[in-house]
Amino acid sequence: MADKTDSEWKSELTPAQYAVLRQCGTEPPGSSPLNYEKRAGEFNCAGCGAELFDSKTKYESGSGWPSFYEAKPGAVNIKADRSHGMVRDEVTCAACGGHLGHVFPDGPRETTGLRYCMNGTALKFEPK
Ligand code: FE
């Protein structure tokens, strides 16, 4: 599942999912229904289904993007992203390499202090 060609991804994903996951796009803030998802469950990669975040680590950051303070162990990779004149830490799915969003050091201080700022488009919610 990790080694799909670009044309395979393009045919399997919706245009919005393809733009985020495979072209490092960013959904408009406030656009994802997952901003309002408060049920218990798992947030999985919309590309490959890998479990990425537990609902217990989701919080309201006020950013307009679904936000989490912790990813599941080994579920994501982080690397420096110097695009758009900024230095940010890009978060990708460790299983399929899909772009998920960025992580910032301004999360809740009583937790990890991290804010995983995710595109809801890149996630699928599975209620428990
Ligand atoms: Fe994935």
Side-chain angles (χ1 to χ4, degrees), residues 46-128:
C48 74
E51 292 186 1
L52 302 176
F53 298 94
D54 191 291
S55 59
K56 289 192 191 86
T57 67
K58 189 175 192 286
Y59 74 100
E60 184 46 67
S61 67
S63 66
W65 290 284
S67 301
F68 304 83
Y69 63 74
E70 190 170 58
K72 295 200 164 228
V76 302
N77 289 327
I78 292 166
K79 72 165 200 269
D81 170 10
R82 291 168 201 284
S83 66
H84 303 291
M86 296 175 269
V87 181
R88 295 175 294 171
D89 286 323
E90 182 193 9
V91 180
T92 57
C93 173
C96 74
H99 172 82
L100 304 170
H102 293 87
V103 59
F104 302 94
D106 58 7
R109 264 191 280 170
E110 68 277 14
T111 64
T112 59
L114 297 175
R115 170 170 61 100
Y116 286 83
C117 184
M118 299 291 98
N119 289 282
T121 308
L123 302 174
K124 267 204 173 131
F125 180 67
E126 292 285 341
K128 255 181 200 139

Side-chain angles (χ1 to χ4, degrees), residues 25-64:
T26 301
E27 70 195 15
S31 64
S32 173
L34 294 186
N35 279 309
Y36 313 105
E37 182 55 69
K38 308 259 195 256
R39 290 174 289 170
E42 312 280 352
F43 292 84
N44 302 336
C45 177
C48 74
E51 292 186 1
L52 302 176
F53 298 94
D54 191 291
S55 59
K56 289 192 191 86
T57 67
K58 189 175 192 286
Y59 74 100
E60 184 46 67
S61 67
S63 66

